[in-house]
Every structure is written in structure tokens, then in C-alpha cells.
Amino acid sequence: MDKPITPEQAREALLQLFQDAGYAVPELLPYIDGLTRENERLKQEAKRLRLAASRGSSSGDNMNSRLKDALRE
């Protein structure tokens, strides 16, 4: 498995496994859906935090230089 599978592919594979095995575990499908939603939420949060960190680092440098200037005086 070099490339990751999509949630749709995972759902299809699980349904095929259910069919091949002759029984199903219905709570797995909602669990997979929940994990997919949580993964997307975490990706968005990580993106937001990276963006905030990149913006904040430049202002932090300015504050640091201002503090250094004040301490020199």
C-alpha cells in the first residue's frame, strides 16, 4: 500500500469483507465515518495553527528587538 486509500475505498472494502465473511459489524461504518471527520478537523486545526505560528513569529521578532532596544537604553 504505497498510496493511502480514500474513505470511500475503505468503506467499499469493508462492505466486501462483510459480504465475503457472511456477517457484518454495523458499528464499524459509523466509527470509520467519525474517524474520517475527526481527521479532517485535525488537519484543518493543524493548518490554522501553522498559519498562526508563521504570522506570529514575525511579530515576536519585532517585540524581541523592541525589548532589546529598551534594555540598551
Side-chain angles (χ1 to χ4, degrees):
M1 293 191 135
D2 291 334
K3 65 179 189 176
I5 62 172
T6 65
E8 293 80 22
Q9 291 170 329
R11 176 182 285 277
E12 289 174 16
L14 185 61
L15 289 173
Q16 184 63 47
L17 284 172
F18 287 164
Q19 191 175 36
D20 291 347
Y23 69 95
V25 183
E27 58 269 8
L28 283 179
L29 292 174
Y31 181 72
I32 290 172
D33 293 338
L35 290 176
T36 303
R37 283 190 303 273
E38 179 70 7
N39 187 30
E40 284 302 315
R41 185 188 69 77
L42 291 172
K43 282 180 185 178
Q44 292 298 322
E45 184 176 348
K47 183 178 177 181
R48 181 184 58 80
L49 290 173
R50 279 194 299 271
L51 184 60
S54 68
R55 288 180 180 166
S57 65
S58 62
S59 65
D61 292 341
N62 290 340
M63 285 182 58
N64 193 13
S65 64
R66 288 183 201 157
L67 179 59
K68 286 180 183 178
D69 291 343
L71 291 172
R72 273 189 227 126
E73 291 179 7

Coordinates of all heavy atoms in Angstrom, one line a residue:
M1 N 0.8 -1.2 0.0 CA 0.0 0.0 0.0 C 0.9 1.2 0.0 O 1.2 1.8 1.0 CB -0.9 0.0 1.2 CG -2.0 -1.0 1.3 SD -3.1 -0.7 2.6 CE -4.6 -1.0 1.7
D2 N 1.3 1.7 -1.2 CA 2.1 2.8 -1.3 C 1.3 4.1 -1.1 O 1.8 5.1 -0.5 CB 2.8 2.9 -2.6 CG 3.9 1.8 -2.7 OD1 4.4 1.3 -1.7 OD2 4.2 1.3 -3.9
K3 N 0.1 4.2 -1.7 CA -0.7 5.4 -1.6 C -1.9 5.1 -0.7 O -2.4 4.0 -0.7 CB -1.1 5.9 -2.9 CG -2.0 5.0 -3.7 CD -2.4 5.7 -5.0 CE -3.5 4.9 -5.6 NZ -4.0 5.5 -6.9
P4 N -2.3 6.1 0.1 CA -3.4 5.9 1.0 C -4.7 5.7 0.3 O -4.9 6.2 -0.8 CB -3.4 7.2 1.9 CG -2.7 8.2 1.1 CD -1.7 7.4 0.2
I5 N -5.6 5.0 0.9 CA -6.9 4.8 0.3 C -7.9 5.8 0.8 O -7.7 6.4 1.8 CB -7.5 3.4 0.5 CG1 -7.7 3.1 2.0 CG2 -6.5 2.3 0.0 CD1 -8.4 1.8 2.3
T6 N -8.9 6.1 0.0 CA -9.9 7.1 0.3 C -10.9 6.5 1.3 O -11.0 5.3 1.4 CB -10.6 7.6 -0.9 OG1 -11.3 6.6 -1.5 CG2 -9.6 8.2 -1.9
P7 N -11.6 7.3 2.0 CA -12.6 6.7 2.9 C -13.7 5.9 2.1 O -14.2 4.9 2.6 CB -13.3 8.0 3.5 CG -12.2 9.0 3.5 CD -11.4 8.7 2.2
E8 N -14.0 6.3 0.9 CA -14.9 5.6 0.1 C -14.4 4.2 -0.2 O -15.1 3.2 -0.2 CB -15.3 6.4 -1.2 CG -16.0 7.6 -1.0 CD -15.1 8.8 -0.5 OE1 -13.9 8.8 -0.8 OE2 -15.7 9.7 0.1
Q9 N -13.1 4.1 -0.6 CA -12.5 2.9 -0.9 C -12.5 2.0 0.4 O -12.7 0.8 0.3 CB -11.1 3.1 -1.4 CG -11.0 3.7 -2.8 CD -9.6 4.1 -3.2 OE1 -8.8 4.4 -2.3 NE2 -9.3 4.0 -4.5
A10 N -12.2 2.5 1.5 CA -12.2 1.8 2.8 C -13.6 1.2 3.1 O -13.7 0.1 3.5 CB -11.7 2.6 3.9
R11 N -14.6 2.1 2.8 CA -16.0 1.6 3.1 C -16.3 0.5 2.1 O -16.9 -0.5 2.6 CB -16.9 2.8 2.9 CG -18.4 2.4 3.0 CD -19.3 3.6 2.8 NE -19.2 4.6 3.9 CZ -20.0 4.4 4.9 NH1 -20.8 3.4 5.1 NH2 -19.9 5.3 5.9
E12 N -16.0 0.6 0.9 CA -16.3 -0.5 -0.1 C -15.5 -1.8 0.3 O -16.1 -2.8 0.2 CB -15.9 0.0 -1.5 CG -16.8 1.0 -2.1 CD -16.3 1.6 -3.4 OE1 -15.4 0.9 -4.0 OE2 -16.8 2.6 -3.8
A13 N -14.3 -1.6 0.7 CA -13.5 -2.8 1.0 C -14.1 -3.5 2.3 O -14.2 -4.7 2.4 CB -12.1 -2.4 1.3
L14 N -14.6 -2.7 3.2 CA -15.2 -3.3 4.4 C -16.5 -4.0 4.1 O -16.8 -5.0 4.6 CB -15.4 -2.2 5.5 CG -15.9 -2.6 6.8 CD1 -15.0 -3.6 7.5 CD2 -16.2 -1.4 7.7
L15 N -17.3 -3.3 3.3 CA -18.5 -4.0 2.8 C -18.3 -5.3 2.1 O -19.0 -6.3 2.3 CB -19.4 -3.0 2.0 CG -20.0 -1.8 2.7 CD1 -20.6 -0.8 1.7 CD2 -21.0 -2.2 3.8
Q16 N -17.2 -5.3 1.3 CA -16.9 -6.5 0.6 C -16.4 -7.6 1.6 O -16.8 -8.8 1.5 CB -15.8 -6.3 -0.4 CG -15.4 -7.5 -1.3 CD -16.6 -8.0 -2.1 OE1 -17.2 -7.2 -2.7 NE2 -16.8 -9.3 -2.1
L17 N -15.7 -7.2 2.6 CA -15.2 -8.2 3.7 C -16.5 -8.7 4.4 O -16.5 -9.9 4.7 CB -14.3 -7.5 4.6 CG -12.9 -7.3 4.2 CD1 -12.1 -6.4 5.2 CD2 -12.2 -8.6 3.9
F18 N -17.4 -7.8 4.7 CA -18.6 -8.3 5.4 C -19.3 -9.3 4.5 O -19.8 -10.4 5.0 CB -19.6 -7.1 5.6 CG -19.2 -6.2 6.7 CD1 -19.8 -4.9 6.8 CD2 -18.2 -6.5 7.7 CE1 -19.4 -4.0 7.8 CE2 -17.9 -5.6 8.7 CZ -18.5 -4.4 8.8
Q19 N -19.4 -9.0 3.2 CA -20.1 -9.9 2.3 C -19.4 -11.3 2.2 O -20.0 -12.3 2.2 CB -20.2 -9.3 0.9 CG -21.1 -10.0 0.0 CD -21.3 -9.3 -1.3 OE1 -20.4 -8.6 -1.8 NE2 -22.5 -9.3 -1.9
D20 N -18.0 -11.2 2.1 CA -17.2 -12.4 2.0 C -17.3 -13.3 3.3 O -17.3 -14.5 3.2 CB -15.8 -12.1 1.7 CG -15.6 -11.5 0.3 OD1 -16.5 -11.6 -0.5 OD2 -14.5 -11.0 0.1
A21 N -17.3 -12.6 4.4 CA -17.4 -13.3 5.7 C -18.7 -13.9 6.0 O -18.9 -14.8 6.8 CB -16.9 -12.4 6.8
G22 N -19.8 -13.3 5.4 CA -21.1 -13.7 5.7 C -21.8 -13.1 6.9 O -22.8 -13.5 7.3
Y23 N -21.1 -12.2 7.5 CA -21.7 -11.4 8.6 C -21.1 -10.0 8.6 O -20.1 -9.7 8.0 CB -21.4 -12.1 10.0 CG -20.0 -12.0 10.4 CD1 -19.5 -11.0 11.3 CD2 -19.1 -13.0 10.0 CE1 -18.2 -11.0 11.7 CE2 -17.8 -13.0 10.5 CZ -17.3 -12.0 11.3 OH -16.0 -11.9 11.7
A24 N -21.8 -9.1 9.4 CA -21.4 -7.7 9.4 C -21.3 -7.2 10.8 O -21.9 -7.7 11.7 CB -22.4 -6.9 8.6
V25 N -20.5 -6.2 11.0 CA -20.4 -5.5 12.3 C -20.8 -4.0 11.9 O -20.0 -3.2 11.6 CB -18.9 -5.5 12.8 CG1 -18.9 -4.8 14.2 CG2 -18.5 -7.0 12.9
P26 N -22.1 -3.7 12.1 CA -22.6 -2.5 11.6 C -22.0 -1.2 12.3 O -22.0 -0.2 11.7 CB -24.1 -2.5 11.9 CG -24.4 -3.8 12.6 CD -23.1 -4.6 12.6
E27 N -21.5 -1.4 13.5 CA -21.0 -0.2 14.2 C -19.6 0.2 13.6 O -19.2 1.3 13.9 CB -20.9 -0.4 15.7 CG -20.0 -1.6 16.1 CD -20.8 -2.9 16.3 OE1 -22.0 -3.0 15.9 OE2 -20.2 -3.9 16.7
L28 N -19.0 -0.6 12.8 CA -17.7 -0.2 12.2 C -17.9 1.0 11.2 O -17.0 1.8 11.1 CB -17.0 -1.4 11.5 CG -16.4 -2.4 12.4 CD1 -15.8 -3.5 11.6 CD2 -15.3 -1.7 13.3
L29 N -18.9 1.0 10.4 CA -19.1 2.0 9.4 C -19.3 3.4 10.1 O -18.6 4.4 9.7 CB -20.3 1.7 8.5 CG -20.0 0.5 7.6 CD1 -21.3 0.1 6.8 CD2 -18.9 0.7 6.7
P30 N -20.1 3.6 11.1 CA -20.2 4.9 11.7 C -18.9 5.3 12.4 O -18.5 6.5 12.5 CB -21.3 4.8 12.7 CG -22.1 3.6 12.3 CD -21.2 2.7 11.5
Y31 N -18.2 4.3 12.9 CA -16.9 4.5 13.6 C -15.9 5.1 12.6 O -15.1 6.0 12.8 CB -16.4 3.2 14.2 CG -15.0 3.4 14.9 CD1 -15.0 4.1 16.1 CD2 -13.9 2.8 14.4 CE1 -13.8 4.2 16.8 CE2 -12.7 3.0 15.1 CZ -12.6 3.7 16.2 OH -11.4 3.8 16.9
I32 N -15.8 4.5 11.4 CA -14.9 4.9 10.3 C -15.3 6.3 9.9 O -14.4 7.2 9.7 CB -14.9 4.0 9.1 CG1 -14.3 2.6 9.5 CG2 -14.3 4.6 7.9 CD1 -14.4 1.6 8.5
D33 N -16.6 6.6 9.8 CA -17.0 8.0 9.4 C -16.6 9.0 10.5 O -16.2 10.1 10.1 CB -18.6 8.0 9.2 CG -19.0 7.2 8.0 OD1 -18.2 7.0 7.1 OD2 -20.2 6.8 8.0
G34 N -16.7 8.6 11.7 CA -16.3 9.5 12.8 C -14.8 9.8 12.8 O -14.4 10.9 13.0
L35 N -14.0 8.7 12.5 CA -12.6 8.9 12.4 C -12.2 9.8 11.2 O -11.3 10.6 11.3 CB -11.9 7.6 12.3 CG -11.9 6.7 13.5 CD1 -11.3 5.3 13.2 CD2 -11.2 7.3 14.7
T36 N -12.9 9.7 10.2 CA -12.7 10.5 9.0 C -13.0 12.0 9.3 O -12.2 12.8 8.9 CB -13.5 10.0 7.8 OG1 -13.2 8.6 7.5 CG2 -13.3 10.8 6.5
R37 N -14.1 12.2 9.9 CA -14.5 13.6 10.3 C -13.4 14.2 11.3 O -13.0 15.3 11.1 CB -15.9 13.7 10.9 CG -17.0 13.6 9.9 CD -18.3 13.9 10.5 NE -18.6 13.0 11.6 CZ -19.2 11.8 11.5 NH1 -19.6 11.4 10.4 NH2 -19.5 11.1 12.6
E38 N -13.0 13.4 12.3 CA -12.0 13.9 13.2 C -10.7 14.1 12.6 O -10.0 15.1 12.9 CB -11.9 12.8 14.3 CG -10.8 13.2 15.4 CD -11.3 14.3 16.3 OE1 -12.4 14.7 16.2 OE2 -10.4 14.7 17.1
N39 N -10.3 13.3 11.6 CA -9.1 13.5 10.9 C -9.1 14.8 10.1 O -8.2 15.6 10.1 CB -8.8 12.3 9.9 CG -7.5 12.4 9.3 OD1 -6.5 12.9 9.8 ND2 -7.4 11.8 8.1
E40 N -10.2 15.1 9.4 CA -10.4 16.3 8.7 C -10.3 17.5 9.6 O -9.7 18.6 9.3 CB -11.7 16.3 7.9 CG -11.6 15.5 6.6 CD -10.5 15.9 5.7 OE1 -10.3 17.1 5.4 OE2 -9.8 15.0 5.2
R41 N -11.0 17.4 10.8 CA -11.0 18.5 11.7 C -9.6 18.8 12.2 O -9.1 20.0 12.3 CB -11.9 18.2 12.9 CG -12.0 19.4 13.9 CD -12.8 18.9 15.2 NE -12.1 18.0 16.0 CZ -11.0 18.4 16.8 NH1 -10.6 19.6 16.9 NH2 -10.4 17.5 17.5
L42 N -8.8 17.7 12.5 CA -7.5 17.9 13.0 C -6.5 18.5 11.9 O -5.7 19.3 12.2 CB -6.9 16.6 13.5 CG -7.6 16.1 14.8 CD1 -7.1 14.7 15.1 CD2 -7.3 17.0 16.0
K43 N -6.8 18.1 10.7 CA -6.0 18.7 9.6 C -6.2 20.2 9.5 O -5.3 20.9 9.3 CB -6.3 18.0 8.2 CG -5.8 16.6 8.0 CD -6.2 16.1 6.7 CE -5.8 14.7 6.4 NZ -6.2 14.2 5.1
Q44 N -7.5 20.6 9.6 CA -7.8 22.0 9.5 C -7.2 22.8 10.7 O -6.7 23.9 10.5 CB -9.3 22.2 9.4 CG -10.0 21.7 8.1 CD -9.5 22.4 6.9 OE1 -9.2 23.6 7.0 NE2 -9.3 21.7 5.8
E45 N -7.3 22.2 11.8 CA -6.7 22.8 13.0 C -5.2 23.0 12.9 O -4.7 24.0 13.2 CB -7.1 22.1 14.3 CG -6.7 22.7 15.6 CD -7.1 22.0 16.8 OE1 -8.0 21.1 16.7 OE2 -6.6 22.4 17.9
A46 N -4.6 21.9 12.4 CA -3.1 22.0 12.3 C -2.7 23.1 11.2 O -1.8 23.8 11.4 CB -2.6 20.6 11.8
K47 N -3.5 23.1 10.2 CA -3.3 24.2 9.1 C -3.4 25.6 9.7 O -2.6 26.4 9.5 CB -4.2 23.9 8.0 CG -4.0 24.9 6.8 CD -5.0 24.5 5.7 CE -4.9 25.5 4.5 NZ -5.9 25.2 3.5
R48 N -4.5 25.7 10.5 CA -4.8 27.0 11.1 C -3.6 27.4 12.1 O -3.2 28.5 12.1 CB -6.1 27.0 11.9 CG -6.5 28.3 12.5 CD -7.8 28.2 13.3 NE -7.8 27.1 14.3 CZ -7.2 27.3 15.5 NH1 -6.7 28.4 15.9 NH2 -7.2 26.3 16.4
L49 N -3.2 26.4 12.9 CA -2.1 26.7 13.9 C -0.8 27.0 13.2 O 0.0 27.9 13.7 CB -2.0 25.5 14.8 CG -3.2 25.3 15.8 CD1 -3.0 24.1 16.6 CD2 -3.3 26.5 16.7
R50 N -0.5 26.3 12.1 CA 0.7 26.6 11.4 C 0.7 28.0 10.8 O 1.7 28.7 10.9 CB 0.9 25.6 10.3 CG 1.5 24.2 10.7 CD 2.0 23.4 9.5 NE 1.0 23.1 8.6 CZ 0.2 22.0 8.7 NH1 0.4 21.1 9.7 NH2 -0.7 21.7 7.8
L51 N -0.4 28.4 10.3 CA -0.6 29.7 9.7 C -0.4 30.8 10.8 O 0.3 31.8 10.6 CB -1.9 29.8 9.0 CG -2.2 31.2 8.3 CD1 -1.2 31.4 7.2 CD2 -3.6 31.1 7.7
A52 N -1.1 30.5 11.9 CA -1.0 31.5 13.1 C 0.5 31.5 13.6 O 0.9 32.6 13.9 CB -1.9 31.1 14.2
A53 N 1.1 30.4 13.6 CA 2.5 30.4 14.1 C 3.4 31.2 13.2 O 4.3 31.9 13.6 CB 3.0 29.0 14.3
S54 N 3.2 31.0 11.9 CA 4.1 31.7 10.9 C 3.8 33.2 10.9 O 4.7 34.0 10.8 CB 3.8 31.2 9.5 OG 2.6 31.5 9.0
R55 N 2.6 33.6 11.2 CA 2.3 35.0 11.3 C 2.8 35.6 12.6 O 3.3 36.7 12.7 CB 0.8 35.3 11.2 CG 0.2 35.1 9.9 CD -1.3 35.3 9.8 NE -1.8 35.1 8.5 CZ -3.1 35.0 8.3 NH1 -4.0 35.1 9.3 NH2 -3.5 34.9 7.0
G56 N 2.7 34.8 13.7 CA 3.1 35.3 15.0 C 4.6 35.4 15.2 O 5.1 36.2 16.0
S57 N 5.4 34.6 14.4 CA 6.8 34.6 14.6 C 7.4 35.9 14.2 O 8.3 36.4 14.8 CB 7.5 33.5 13.8 OG 7.3 33.6 12.5
S58 N 6.9 36.6 13.1 CA 7.4 37.8 12.7 C 7.1 38.9 13.7 O 8.0 39.8 14.0 CB 6.9 38.2 11.3 OG 5.5 38.4 11.4
S59 N 5.9 38.9 14.3 CA 5.6 40.0 15.3 C 6.4 39.7 16.6 O 6.8 40.6 17.3 CB 4.1 40.0 15.6 OG 3.7 38.8 16.2
G60 N 6.7 38.5 16.9 CA 7.5 38.1 18.1 C 8.9 38.6 17.9 O 9.5 39.1 18.9
D61 N 9.5 38.6 16.7 CA 10.8 39.1 16.5 C 10.8 40.6 16.7 O 11.8 41.2 17.2 CB 11.3 38.8 15.1 CG 11.5 37.3 14.9 OD1 11.7 36.6 15.9 OD2 11.5 36.9 13.7
N62 N 9.8 41.3 16.3 CA 9.7 42.8 16.4 C 9.6 43.1 17.9 O 10.3 44.0 18.4 CB 8.5 43.3 15.7 CG 8.6 43.3 14.2 OD1 9.7 43.2 13.7 ND2 7.5 43.4 13.5
M63 N 8.9 42.4 18.7 CA 8.8 42.6 20.1 C 10.1 42.3 20.8 O 10.6 43.1 21.6 CB 7.7 41.8 20.8 CG 6.3 42.2 20.5 SD 5.1 41.2 21.3 CE 5.5 41.4 23.0
N64 N 10.8 41.3 20.3 CA 12.1 41.0 20.9 C 13.1 42.1 20.6 O 13.8 42.5 21.5 CB 12.6 39.7 20.3 CG 13.7 39.1 21.1 OD1 14.0 39.5 22.2 ND2 14.4 38.1 20.5
S65 N 13.1 42.6 19.4 CA 14.0 43.7 19.1 C 13.7 45.0 19.9 O 14.5 45.7 20.3 CB 14.1 44.0 17.6 OG 12.8 44.5 17.2
R66 N 12.4 45.2 20.1 CA 12.0 46.4 20.9 C 12.4 46.2 22.3 O 12.9 47.2 22.9 CB 10.4 46.5 20.8 CG 9.9 47.0 19.5 CD 8.4 47.2 19.6 NE 7.8 47.2 18.3 CZ 6.6 46.9 18.0 NH1 5.8 46.6 19.0 NH2 6.2 46.9 16.8
L67 N 12.3 45.0 22.8 CA 12.7 44.8 24.2 C 14.2 45.0 24.3 O 14.7 45.6 25.3 CB 12.3 43.4 24.6 CG 12.7 42.9 26.0 CD1 12.1 43.8 27.1 CD2 12.3 41.5 26.2
K68 N 15.0 44.5 23.3 CA 16.4 44.7 23.4 C 16.8 46.2 23.3 O 17.7 46.6 24.0 CB 17.0 44.0 22.2 CG 17.1 42.5 22.3 CD 17.7 41.8 21.1 CE 17.7 40.3 21.2 NZ 18.2 39.7 20.0
D69 N 16.1 46.9 22.5 CA 16.3 48.4 22.4 C 16.0 49.0 23.7 O 16.8 49.9 24.2 CB 15.5 49.0 21.3 CG 15.9 48.6 19.9 OD1 17.0 48.1 19.8 OD2 15.1 48.8 19.0
A70 N 15.0 48.6 24.4 CA 14.6 49.3 25.7 C 15.6 48.9 26.7 O 16.0 49.7 27.6 CB 13.2 48.8 26.1
L71 N 16.1 47.7 26.7 CA 17.1 47.3 27.7 C 18.5 48.0 27.5 O 19.2 48.3 28.4 CB 17.3 45.8 27.7 CG 16.1 44.9 28.2 CD1 16.4 43.5 27.9 CD2 15.9 45.2 29.6
R72 N 18.8 48.3 26.2 CA 20.0 49.0 25.9 C 20.0 50.4 26.5 O 21.0 51.0 26.8 CB 20.2 49.1 24.4 CG 21.0 47.8 23.9 CD 21.4 48.0 22.4 NE 21.0 46.8 21.8 CZ 20.2 46.7 20.7 NH1 19.7 47.8 20.1 NH2 19.9 45.6 20.2
E73 N 18.8 51.0 26.5 CA 18.7 52.4 26.9 C 18.8 52.6 28.4 O 19.2 52.4 29.3 CB 17.4 53.0 26.5 CG 17.3 53.2 25.0 CD 16.0 53.8 24.6 OE1 15.1 54.2 25.4 OE2 15.7 53.8 23.4

